[in-house]
Structures are given as C-alpha cells and as structure tokens.
Amino acid sequence: MRTVRLHAGKGDIFVKRIPVIIDTDPGIDDAVALLLALASPELDVLAITAVSGNVPLERTLANALIVRERSGFTGVPVYAGCSRPLLRAPEYAACHGADGLGGMGGDGAAPLSRGAEEEHAVRFLIRVLHEAARGERPRVTLCPLAPLTNIALALIQAPDIVNGIERIVLMGGAFAEQGNASPCAEFNILSDPHAAQVVFSCGAPLVIAPLDLTRKALATSERLAGIRAAGNPVAEFAADLLTAGRDIGSLPGGGGVPLHDPAVFGWLLHPEYFSGREGYVAVECASERCMGYTMVDWFGQTGQPSNALVLTDLDADAFFADLTERLRAYGRNDA
Ligand code: RIB
Ligand code: CA
C-alpha cells in the first residue's frame, strides 16, 4: 500500500509511505527502534534483515523474530544475514546482556507464529534493490542499525543496486564525540570498518545518526515512565528493555540509555526535530589504534564532495513524546 490516511485532527491527510528495509542486530535499542518503525504507518517496512553485531547472528535473528512477534506485525519477513564482519573478527557488546535483549530474549520456549525466510538477507537485498532499480517498485530507504556487513556485501556483489536505493539512514559513527567501542570509534563502525567504508563510498545519499546525536536522546527515568504509562504490553516491553539496558550499563555518569537506533526512525518520521550538516565522511581502515574512526570534512579540505547529512542535534522532548505516542498506538490496535 503506497499511501496511508492519517488523522490530522482537522480531517484526513494522505501521505506516501516510505518503503524501508531495516538491517539490525537486536540489541536493546534495535528492539525499541523496530517497535517504533512497525507502529508507524508512514513507514512501509518491507523486511527486517538480521546481522551479527551486538550478539552472534543466531541471537540477533532470534531477537528480531521475538520483537516482530511481540509487535504483532508478523507479516513483515525476517531474513538472516552475515554471521561475521568482512575481515575483522566479531566482537560482541556486553551492554545488551548475553541474550541481546537484556534478559528478555526468553528461553526460546515461547512459540513463534512464523520463522525466518529461507533466502539469505544479502540475496534478498540484491533482489529487491534490483527490482527498484528497474522501476518495478519504488526506491527503497535502507535503515542499518548495526555493523554494515550485509549492506556492504550486497553492494560488493551487485554495485548497480545503488540505483534502487532512495537513501541510507544509518546509526553509526562518532565525530566530535569519543567512541563507545574504542576511544576513536563507535560500535557499528568499528565492528566492520571495511563494510562501513564500502557503504560510505557507494554513492547513495547518506543520513548518519552518530553518537554526537544519539547521546542527546537519553531515556531518562521520566521519559521511561512516560513510555510505561502508555499502558499496553508492547510499550511495557519497550520500557522493560530500556530499564534493563540502564541497569546493564548505559553511559558513564548515568542519565539513562541513549536511544541510538530509534533516532534513525525519529529522523525519518520527523526530520524537523533534528539538525545537522552536510559533509564528506570516510572511515579509517588502516590504523589499528584509530580503526573505525569516522572522519568528516565540513570544509572541503579533502577536495571530496559531500556524501552525507550528519545529524548533530535534536529536540529530545519532541522525539520522546512522538515515540511514546506511537507506542501507545499498540494499545489502540491502530499501530
Ligand atoms: O553504538 C551504538 C550502536 O551499537 C547501536 O546500533 C547499538 O545497537 C549497537 O549495535
Ligand atoms: Ca544496533
């Protein structure tokens, strides 16, 4: 369905839905991002593709299926992708818990109404983006919330899929901020810096939500209480996930879990809540000490044309209010 009717208070408005593919490594913040995207009628979630990242692929795939089940949107297909980065050895993130969902991944006993698709995520990405490139479907917005291995491998195997990509809106990188996986690098980029450089140089328009932005989107106790007060099982699940994330270990100095991955959909749904700058972005792939460092050239010093909109600020209260309202929709069955 290409358009959706929204109630604007004074009547109906029709908006063109944005076709998106979500590439993810759930992951506490990934899970909240999935719940946000699936609840948003402006987004046409074509598929969820899982990749190794926060936890091994077996867990990120299982967690993607669990979150899809909890959302009720079991019509959205889930594909398993790459089980390791292109070159580097996998390094997992302890801050999501051993199961990747802060202990809420269940024991696997809860029956799922639907499993993952047989097709590999990379083959799926190539197939669908080729269809878009041929004009057989609208061009697709890719929303990577994880190491960029799946996306990079699709681009390496079939570079012409870039013609089927509307834009890539990704969470990753750290520019003026210190990294969270090393002093120089953010987790998604450091996990697979070579994949990130392939994606950053592919020619598709990029929108980047780095730590510089997402560390300003903290799930404080008040905001958590607001999400919980939405009063339905899915909002409760989101609040429980973020509470677990806070207890496992958010930013040094506390303040709450930074909503890294949901910021991608925050921007897609309300770009007016965000601000940023165009610049040329590239990834350090040679220096072991600075591996995964994301450089941005704001002033054209490299002679390279801008390839990304780098988001640096947001109206966090507006973002959380919108997130909470969309989670509330799960209780009204109009999510
Ligand atoms: O640095 C934050 C990113 O790394 C998020 O995508 C989080 O889920 C982890 O994957
Ligand atoms: Ca993630």
Side-chain angles (χ1 to χ4, degrees):
M1 179 177 57
R2 300 274 167 86
T3 59
V4 64
R5 187 179 70 185
L6 298 178
H7 305 292
K10 295 177 293 301
D12 293 336
I13 51 171
F14 288 83
V15 293
K16 252 174 89 176
R17 303 185 75 196
I18 304 170
V20 302
I21 294 174
I22 305 172
D23 192 64
T24 181
D25 61 337
I28 286 172
D29 58 326
D30 301 70
V32 176
L34 289 170
L35 294 174
L36 170 58
L38 292 167
S40 301
E42 303 92 324
L43 304 179
D44 181 7
V45 181
L46 302 179
I48 296 166
T49 54
V51 67
S52 169
N54 287 316
V55 287
L57 175 67
E58 305 70 54
R59 271 314 317 179
T60 61
L61 179 63
N63 292 342
L65 294 170
I66 289 166
V67 174
R68 177 183 68 175
E69 196 77 25
R70 296 289 292 264
S71 78
F73 287 92
T74 50
V76 175
V78 175
Y79 295 82
C82 297
S83 60
R84 53 149 299 154
L86 295 183
L87 294 178
R88 284 172 70 86
E91 288 189 30
Y92 305 117
C95 59
H96 297 268
D99 68 352
L101 288 183
M104 273 168 283
D107 53 9
L112 295 172
S113 60
R114 182 180 178 191
E117 305 305 304
E118 284 299 312
E119 188 177 21
H120 191 280
V122 174
R123 295 306 311 152
F124 163 78
L125 285 162
I126 292 170
R127 175 167 61 81
V128 168
L129 294 174
H130 268 156
E131 289 169 0
R134 292 191 298 264
E136 296 165 12
R137 60 165 64 236
R139 296 203 310 181
V140 179
T141 295
L142 299 184
C143 299
L145 314 177
L148 291 158
T149 317
N150 286 344
I151 314 296
L153 216 45
L155 286 163
I156 291 168
Q157 287 187 35
D160 59 341
I161 61 172
V162 73
N163 301 315
I165 300 172
E166 179 68 19
R167 63 161 71 92
I168 301 174
V169 189
L170 67 93
M171 190 280 142
F175 296 95
E177 277 281 321
Q178 177 123 356
N180 60 356
S182 83
C184 296
E186 178 277 328
F187 178 83
N188 288 338
I189 306 300
L190 181 55
S191 295
D192 198 340
H194 307 93
Q197 184 53 32
V198 167
V199 174
F200 284 16
S201 57
C202 76
L206 300 176
V207 178
I208 298 177
L211 294 181
D212 309 67
L213 172 82
T214 60
R215 281 176 171 161
K216 298 172 182 175
L218 297 183
T220 61
S221 304
E222 297 72 26
R223 288 167 177 163
L224 258 179
I227 290 172
R228 194 173 296 281
N232 63 64
V234 177
E236 284 279 337
F237 180 44
D240 291 343
L241 285 164
L242 293 171
T243 303
R246 182 190 59 195
D247 297 346
I248 290 172
S250 59
L251 258 187
V257 176
L259 279 207
H260 300 300
D261 295 334
V264 164
F265 302 109
W267 181 83
L268 266 175
L269 293 163
H270 283 288
E272 72 276 14
Y273 294 168
F274 295 77
S275 59
R277 291 175 68 174
E278 293 282 346
Y280 170 68
V281 176
V283 182
E284 174 57 50
C285 294
S287 155
E288 190 49 45
R289 176 172 293 164
C290 299
M291 184 64 76
Y293 170 71
T294 42
M295 175 215 77
V296 62
D297 175 6
W298 300 124
F299 304 111
Q301 291 171 294
T302 61
Q304 295 293 330
S306 164
N307 60 348
L309 169 62
V310 176
L311 302 176
T312 54
D313 209 349
L314 82 160
D315 179 340
D317 287 334
F319 167 55
F320 273 91
D322 186 61
L323 165 65
T324 303
E325 193 46 40
R326 291 172 190 272
L327 291 173
R328 197 189 312 278
Y330 280 103
R332 294 192 304 261
N333 289 325
D334 62 359

